[in-house]
Amino acid sequence: MREVEAPLSDEEPVVRLFKALAHPMRASIIHRLTTSAADVTELTELLGASQPLVSHHLRILRDAHLVQVERSGRRSNYSLIDDHVASIFLDALNHMREHDHDCHH
């Protein structure tokens, strides 16, 4: 018997967003971009990873509508798509820091 796929729920886009963030390298990219835009070279140096690997993770973040790219000559500058992305990430980070702080007392 074939399983029937359930219709997409309202929460599905949120699930996709968190799946995109659920990788250490992508989380680091988002964290870095909460301060300002960065190009691939800067992100590669920051992460200590190869340019193709960083570009792969940037593509996933673009597909999830978390980052946008602006090309300037040969450079590609990446930035967060809007302030909501920074808020979601920084709120989660602060929440976990508070939780870690509470657990150590």
Side-chain angles (χ1 to χ4, degrees):
M1 191 167 138
R2 233 176 101 241
E3 205 171 297
V4 179
E5 279 196 34
L8 293 180
S9 67
D10 290 344
E11 296 84 9
E12 187 64 28
V14 177
V15 171
R16 283 199 308 270
L17 179 148
F18 282 110
K19 277 185 181 174
L21 287 174
H23 186 283
M25 193 169 287
R26 293 194 294 269
S28 293
I29 291 169
I30 295 293
H31 194 192
R32 165 60 189 82
L33 296 179
T34 60
T35 55
S36 64
D39 67 9
V40 176
T41 304
E42 183 181 339
L43 293 170
T44 300
E45 289 169 4
L46 171 78
L47 299 165
S50 70
Q51 187 270 321
L53 183 60
V54 173
S55 292
H56 167 74
H57 287 294
L58 285 165
R59 191 164 35 259
I60 291 169
L61 292 170
R62 270 201 336 264
D63 291 347
H65 305 290
L66 296 173
V67 302
Q68 60 193 355
V69 62
E70 191 176 303
R71 287 181 172 67
S72 171
R74 295 184 64 182
R75 287 172 49 126
S76 295
N77 285 315
Y78 286 84
S79 60
L80 299 180
I81 210 154
D82 61 32
D83 291 341
H84 294 297
V85 178
S87 296
I88 290 163
F89 184 86
L90 294 172
D91 283 350
L93 185 65
N94 290 329
H95 168 74
M96 295 312 294
R97 284 180 176 159
E98 288 168 12
H99 179 71
D100 282 349
H101 180 74
D102 291 344
C103 287
H104 291 105
H105 281 120

